[in-house]
Amino acid sequence: MEGMLYKWTNYISGWQPRWFVLDGGTLSYYDSQEDAWKGCKGSIKISVCEIQVHSSDSTRLDLIIPGEQYFYLRAINAAERQKWLVALGTAKACLTDNRTKREKELQENTEALKTKMSELRLYCDLLLQQVNKIKENDELGETVETGIDTGTMVKSTCTTFLKTLEECMQIANRTFTTDLGTHSPPGTPPVAAIKPQKVHFESSIIHSKQVLPAAHITQKAAELEHYNQPAGGDTEKTCDQEKHDQELCKGDQSEKHDGKRGEKGGVALECQQETIFDQEENQDQFKTPSDSSESDTEQVDTFFNTMSHRFSDMRLDDDNGIPSQEFLDSCYAIVPVLDKLGSTVFAPVKMDFVGNIKKIQQKLISDPDGFPTLQSIVLHEVQTSVAQVRNSATEALLWLRRGLKFLKEFLSEINAGEKDIQAALNNAYGKTLRQYHGWVVRGVFALALRAAPTYQSFTAALVSREGDEQRSDFTSSMHRDLEVYLPAMEKQLTILDELYEEYSLESDEVV
């Protein structure tokens, strides 16, 4: 639906006519219908706002996101207001109905998870009692038979504890893995889109009996570059291109043999165009060591240099302000690393990570111009005394920062040469998240570690072209990309550390 409504602007200008458009669950407004092509002046998400009818004004309706956004509107008359109320209510109801089934399932599984966690606490208390009993028996010098009976009880309790923990994981997997990729806020980029690969071609001029100097080959290859075929097609040349290449080759031969181009018995020449990956060995013999090194570097692309957004590509403000949207895009782009570790067992970790991104994204959507940097979001919530409120953007950024530190430490372990993925994950967890997790969450993480992939499987998932992980220069390429990516990531995390320390926003709460 679209039409004209009056919008309250301020006490000087009062009510001003604006052109409103309701589309896809978002209400946007423009200066006028004719100026709609210039872009909207503002918008509000119907799914998260309250629709209020004025008690005395029959033409007025208010759209409110408490503490965030307010739209005070007036229709031309009561009938027009009723049309807008029906359209807005329908849009909100449709969005709500689509979530009802999922929310019901989530609620049921959450209750089941709470029940299982209560059982885990019970078994934990029972284990402590049994361990204390063993200590007492040992001090009193009880018989061997008594110790065996107590040990059997402890074993039985441990078995039940582990079984219940696995049931918790099953419930968590069933709850959190189904729609992780479909809950991104509108307008957010797809998670870690991979850039299209460019296939490089280069020309080489080969003498059948005589090899030209490497520098000369490079020069002629540059001359032929314009005639190379684009990636994805055959590398056959047109007649004109072959003729041109033959002329170039003959020119080379005349320089070598002082003009004896047409002499009988002269050295035959052959010009051919080869792709890098098809004729790699032939190419290497005509290149200097530096040329060969540069070619290898270009050929091996890893996940970290083909990401859609990277921390290393971001430009900070003069006062080290971290651009909000670019930071969130870079966070979305690193999420697939968790999938590469195991999409099922790391689903709860991924959901928590993505959930924190979404909370900050919602805050940013409420006022994009007002929150250009992460610092502006945090300072706004500090000034409005909501920074330490549950589910605030500041709290979400706190946990997102901790999750990023975990990933950074893990990737640093890999970059340092650690080939045991389970050990790398365990070391990173101990340095970052472990201190903020209670024994239940630690147990869940320990269970997830059992399913960690091998180093070969993990690195195979980091290449953008299948088989590149088998190349001898893959490891050096991965180190090259990580040595660019990780320092930039660490710099931004350090800036956030200083911000949270300055305003005393750190929390020792254990979950």
Side-chain angles (χ1 to χ4, degrees):
M1 181 175 178
E2 57 185 68
M4 194 270 288
L5 292 171
Y6 288 91
K7 181 179 183 296
W8 176 260
T9 55
N10 52 55
Y11 284 101
I12 298 177
S13 301
W15 297 92
Q16 294 294 323
R18 297 286 184 264
W19 186 258
F20 281 82
V21 176
L22 176 61
D23 182 38
T26 301
L27 182 67
S28 307
Y29 72 90
Y30 309 81
D31 283 334
S32 64
Q33 185 177 7
E34 294 75 19
D35 292 336
W37 62 273
K38 296 180 180 179
C40 71
K41 306 288 288 185
S43 63
I44 190 169
K45 290 286 183 184
I46 301 302
S47 60
V48 295
C49 75
E50 299 176 3
I51 304 174
Q52 298 182 358
V53 178
H54 200 272
S55 58
S56 58
D57 190 339
S58 62
T59 63
R60 181 171 163 183
L61 65 150
D62 301 336
L63 305 179
I64 300 174
I65 301 177
E68 297 289 343
Q69 204 173 4
Y70 304 86
F71 273 24
Y72 302 120
L73 308 174
R74 268 183 179 169
I76 299 174
N77 51 48
E80 186 70 13
R81 184 189 74 166
Q82 186 62 27
K83 291 180 181 178
W84 278 103
L85 286 174
V86 171
L88 293 169
T90 301
K92 189 175 180 69
C94 289
L95 293 171
T96 303
D97 290 343
N98 290 337
R99 296 197 305 264
T100 300
K101 183 178 179 180
R102 171 63 179 163
E103 290 175 352
K104 183 179 179 181
E105 293 176 354
L106 181 62
Q107 182 178 3
E108 291 175 352
N109 288 331
T110 301
E111 291 299 324
L113 192 58
K114 288 180 179 179
T115 301
K116 291 297 179 183
M117 290 177 67
S118 298
E119 293 178 11
L120 285 175
R121 292 190 180 94
L122 176 62
Y123 295 137
C124 181
D125 293 339
L126 185 58
L127 276 172
L128 291 175
Q129 292 177 9
Q130 292 172 348
V131 170
N132 290 332
K133 182 66 175 177
I134 291 175
K135 290 181 178 179
E136 292 176 2
N137 291 341
D138 185 58
E139 292 173 355
L140 296 174
E142 296 290 340
T143 63
V144 175
E145 290 78 8
T146 303
I148 293 175
D149 292 340
T150 308
T152 302
M153 292 176 59
V154 171
K155 180 180 178 181
S156 176
T157 305
C158 287
T159 301
T160 308
F161 177 87
L162 290 174
K163 181 180 178 181
T164 305
L165 187 57
E166 288 182 358
E167 291 173 352
C168 284
M169 285 299 302
Q170 291 172 2
I171 296 173
N173 292 339
R174 186 170 64 246
T175 305
F176 302 138
T177 59
T178 53
D179 295 324
L180 285 176
T182 63
H183 284 75
S184 298
T188 55
V191 175
I194 302 298
K195 297 177 181 177
Q197 294 301 305
K198 296 181 179 179
V199 182
H200 301 280
F201 292 88
E202 64 179 25
S203 300
S204 59
I205 303 174
I206 304 175
H207 290 262
S208 59
K209 293 185 179 180
Q210 184 174 358
V211 179
L212 292 179
H216 198 72
I217 293 297
T218 304
Q219 177 183 356
K220 293 305 177 184
E223 293 180 23
L224 288 173
E225 185 176 359
H226 177 72
Y227 297 90
N228 289 344
Q229 295 294 326
D234 294 332
T235 57
E236 297 177 357
K237 298 181 180 180
T238 64
C239 294
D240 292 340
Q241 291 171 341
E242 291 180 353
K243 181 178 179 182
H244 182 79
D245 292 347
Q246 291 291 343
E247 290 174 358
L248 288 174
C249 292
K250 290 178 181 179
D252 295 341
Q253 184 67 13
S254 67
E255 293 175 10
K256 288 292 180 178
H257 297 280
D258 299 322
K260 298 180 180 179
R261 186 186 315 174
E263 183 178 346
K264 184 178 179 180
V267 178
L269 299 178
E270 178 184 1
C271 292
Q272 63 180 17
Q273 188 178 40
E274 301 170 331
T275 60
I276 295 175
F277 50 84
D278 285 338
Q279 299 293 339
E280 193 169 339
E281 294 181 359
N282 288 338
Q283 294 293 334
D284 289 343
Q285 63 180 319
F286 299 114
K287 293 183 179 180
T288 62
S290 60
D291 292 337
S292 178
S293 175
E294 291 176 1
S295 176
D296 291 345
T297 301
E298 291 178 356
Q299 291 176 40
V300 183
D301 288 324
T302 71
F303 171 80
F304 299 101
N305 76 334
T306 55
M307 299 168 69
S308 57
H309 299 84
R310 297 185 297 177
F311 294 104
S312 52
D313 293 334
M314 291 171 53
R315 292 188 177 181
L316 306 183
D317 292 351
D318 294 336
D319 56 351
N320 280 336
I322 302 175
S324 302
Q325 189 60 61
E326 292 181 38
F327 180 84
L328 295 178
D329 290 343
S330 298
C331 291
Y332 272 116
I334 195 66
V335 169
V337 171
L338 294 173
D339 287 330
K340 299 177 192 303
L341 290 171
S343 59
T344 301
V345 294
F346 278 89
V349 179
K350 177 179 175 180
M351 182 182 179
D352 182 65
F353 193 89
V354 174
N356 289 321
I357 298 176
K358 291 178 182 177
K359 290 176 185 177
I360 304 170
Q361 185 79 50
Q362 283 299 118
K363 183 71 174 183
L364 177 60
I365 290 175
S366 68
D367 188 6
D369 295 333
F371 302 130
T373 64
L374 295 179
Q375 288 91 329
S376 62
I377 294 177
V378 173
L379 291 177
H380 174 266
E381 293 196 339
V382 168
Q383 293 167 0
T384 54
S385 301
V386 297
Q388 295 179 313
V389 173
R390 178 71 65 185
N391 292 324
S392 66
T394 302
E395 184 196 46
L397 183 57
L398 173 70
W399 282 103
L400 178 59
R401 183 182 52 133
R402 291 171 177 173
L404 288 171
K405 284 184 177 181
F406 165 68
L407 287 175
K408 182 188 74 69
E409 289 295 336
F410 165 67
L411 293 174
S412 296
E413 292 273 341
I414 299 300
N415 195 38
E418 177 61 70
K419 295 187 181 297
D420 186 338
I421 298 297
Q422 184 171 338
L425 286 169
N426 198 37
N427 292 339
Y429 182 70
K431 294 177 182 178
T432 56
L433 293 174
R434 191 177 190 277
Q435 59 184 313
Y436 306 111
H437 288 167
W439 64 271
V440 174
V441 180
R442 291 179 185 180
V444 171
F445 188 85
L447 194 62
L449 281 183
R450 293 184 184 180
T454 62
Y455 180 81
Q456 289 74 18
S457 299
F458 179 68
T459 53
L462 293 179
V463 296
S464 55
R465 188 167 55 206
E466 186 177 357
D468 272 357
E469 73 276 6
Q470 303 296 333
R471 292 177 56 88
S472 60
D473 49 358
F474 167 72
T475 301
S476 61
S477 297
M478 184 174 67
H479 290 327
R480 172 202 65 197
D481 296 337
L482 285 175
E483 284 167 5
V484 173
Y485 184 83
L486 291 176
M489 187 181 186
E490 183 174 14
K491 178 180 179 181
Q492 293 171 39
L493 291 175
T494 300
I495 293 173
L496 292 177
D497 287 343
E498 294 172 352
L499 175 67
Y500 274 68
E501 183 177 353
E502 179 180 356
Y503 291 95
S504 301
L505 297 174
E506 288 290 352
S507 171
D508 296 329
E509 180 184 7
V510 175
V511 297

